[in-house]
């Protein structure tokens, strides 16, 4: 059984709830970047980008390292495994429901077809 | 993978859109009016709503699927120990959309919106569950799991009892 820590889940889902932060993750998946470069890419002030990176850092999705005067960001150790499991559990319930719904719908389709044939005769 | 296309199209996707909202999508190989029918007639609804793997017995299913109407689902094998889910339909547009509340959880209740979009005889279903707070959503996620544990626990007890006879 996967252990869930609600604080971590909250932090990472909150981090992922923002389009810019998802964009930053996409960008970092392609390669490390400085906060200045990220700010430029997303048309944002340095302060604004620092805040976004801070949220991602708290969630473990990004790590930063200051080299000289430049702060470099890279993909962090958070592998989103807990998040995936949270979603998978949700999906299993809906998957099971929808498979059964397929069965009911097939029955309705057959009934409809049978009615159509009778009408034509 | 050519063989995977059909099942991919039918795949259930789940996305946590924000701290308070989860969106589930799935395509059905039928026109929207049939999917809506299966969703709005209680005798059909009860055939599919409860996943068999959850091992829960649906004792009764009352649904008045129209704007302002209500629903009440009662679960449980033991009449002395039942669990009810209930709420109101905020909006019903036949073959297009159903919006309902979930009120058994008090203030933590969610609002669910289901839309049916027909395209070339198939129906894309989009279901969104919006919770009042992120805590309520997190709790709902584990709630389903806890319910399953509880149900299986009860089944274990029953089996042990039967074996002892």
């Amino acid at each position: 059984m996967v252990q869930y820590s609600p604080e971590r889940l909250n932090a990472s889902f909150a981090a992922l709830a923002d389009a810019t932060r998802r964009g930053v993750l996409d960008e970092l998946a392609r390669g490390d970047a400085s906060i200045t470069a990220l700010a430029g890419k997303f048309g944002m002030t340095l302060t604004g980008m620092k805040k976004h990176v801070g949220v991602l850092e708290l969630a473990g999705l990004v790590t930063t390292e200051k080299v000289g005067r430049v702060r470099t960001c890279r993909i962090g150790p958070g592998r989103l495994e807990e998040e995936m499991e949270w979603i998978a559990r949700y999906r299993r319930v809906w998957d099971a429901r929808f498979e059964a719904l397929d069965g009911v719908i097939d029955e309705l389709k057959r009934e409809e077809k049978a009615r159509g044939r009778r009408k034509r005769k | 993978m050519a063989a995977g296309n059909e099942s991919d199209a039918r795949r259930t996707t789940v996305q946590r859109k924000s701290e308070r909202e989860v969106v589930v999508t799935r395509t059905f190989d039928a026109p929207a009016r049939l999917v809506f029918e299966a969703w709005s007639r209680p005798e059909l609804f009860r055939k599919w709503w409860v996943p068999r793997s959850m091992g829960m017995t649906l004792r009764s299913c009352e649904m008045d699927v129209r704007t302002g109407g209500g629903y009440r689902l009662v679960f449980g094998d033991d009449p002395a120990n039942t669990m009810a889910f209930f709420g109101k339909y905020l909006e019903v547009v036949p073959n297009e959309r159903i919006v309902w509340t979930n009120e058994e959880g008090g203030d933590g209740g969610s609002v669910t919106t289901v839309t049916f979009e027909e395209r070339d005889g198939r129906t894309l279903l989009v279901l969104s569950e919006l919770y009042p707070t992120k805590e309520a959503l997190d709790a709902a996620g584990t709630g389903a799991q806890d319910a399953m544990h509880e149900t299986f626990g009860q089944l274990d007890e029953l089996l042990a009892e039967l074996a002892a006879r």
Side-chain angles (χ1 to χ4, degrees), chain B residues 61-81:
Chain B
C61 172
E62 292 159 42
M63 300 165 66
D64 179 13
V65 188
R66 54 184 171 170
T67 303
Y71 70 89
R72 188 177 183 87
L73 306 178
V74 181
F75 290 90
D77 289 319
D78 175 7
N81 182 20

Side-chain angles (χ1 to χ4, degrees), chain B residues 14-126:
Chain B
V14 177
Q15 278 181 293
R16 187 152 164 166
K17 285 276 166 165
S18 75
E19 291 178 346
R20 303 194 294 124
E21 188 182 19
V22 178
V23 175
V24 182
T25 64
R26 168 74 135 79
T27 299
F28 293 89
D29 188 16
R33 65 171 188 284
L34 290 187
V35 187
F36 180 82
E37 200 180 334
W39 208 297
S40 53
R41 280 172 49 193
E43 74 275 18
L44 297 174
F45 182 82
R46 64 182 304 159
K47 283 188 184 174
W48 65 270
W49 182 253
V50 187
R52 214 165 294 140
S53 64
M54 280 173 92
M56 288 163 79
T57 308
L58 184 55
R59 300 181 65 82
S60 70
C61 172
E62 292 159 42
M63 300 165 66
D64 179 13
V65 188
R66 54 184 171 170
T67 303
Y71 70 89
R72 188 177 183 87
L73 306 178
V74 181
F75 290 90
D77 289 319
D78 175 7
N81 182 20
T82 59
M83 183 163 64
F85 291 84
F86 54 90
K88 274 197 293 288
Y89 295 103
L90 297 179
E91 192 189 348
V92 177
V93 183
N95 308 337
E96 280 179 27
R97 178 183 170 87
I98 311 177
V99 185
W100 69 89
T101 62
N102 216 225
E103 287 164 20
E104 71 279 354
D107 291 340
S110 57
V111 173
T112 307
T113 303
V114 166
T115 59
F116 310 93
E117 277 175 59
E118 188 174 323
R119 218 169 293 156
D120 304 323
R122 292 160 69 87
T123 300
L124 170 69
L125 184 143
V126 181

Side-chain angles (χ1 to χ4, degrees), chain B residues 135-149:
Chain B
E135 287 78 12
L137 172 51
D138 287 334
T142 56
Q145 187 83 346
D146 293 345
M148 268 186 266
H149 277 307

Side-chain angles (χ1 to χ4, degrees), chain A residues 3-120:
Chain A
Q3 282 299 315
Y4 296 97
S5 82
E7 294 78 23
R8 235 190 56 67
L9 272 188
N10 284 348
S12 58
F13 277 124
L16 293 170
D18 181 90
T20 302
R21 292 197 287 268
R22 288 196 298 274
V24 168
L25 276 185
D26 284 344
E27 197 55 40
L28 293 179
R30 268 176 240 131
D32 300 354
S34 68
I35 290 195
T36 317
L38 289 171
K41 196 127 207 165
F42 289 88
M44 198 169 272
T45 62
L46 209 55
T47 319
M49 185 47 77
K50 266 183 191 153
K51 274 187 191 158
H52 281 307
V53 168
V55 174
L56 288 165
E57 212 174 354
L58 272 175
L61 299 170
V62 163
T63 57
T64 69
E65 191 190 356
K66 199 161 185 184
V67 182
R69 299 189 52 190
V70 182
R71 189 168 278 281
T72 302
C73 309
R74 62 171 57 97
I75 288 287
R79 301 285 299 273
L80 295 176
E81 278 155 359
E82 281 184 32
E83 292 74 9
M84 305 270 277
E85 178 54 29
W86 188 96
I87 283 174
R89 221 171 47 190
Y90 218 81
R91 200 181 74 202
R92 281 196 287 275
V93 173
W94 285 105
D95 254 342
R97 277 183 181 156
F98 288 160
E99 262 167 42
L101 178 54
D102 275 334
V104 172
I105 286 171
D106 281 344
E107 239 170 76
L108 288 172
K109 272 162 90 176
R110 273 198 299 276
E111 276 172 26
E112 209 170 54
K113 230 179 174 176
R115 272 201 301 275
R117 268 202 301 276
R118 276 199 296 278
K119 252 183 231 162
R120 254 175 270 132

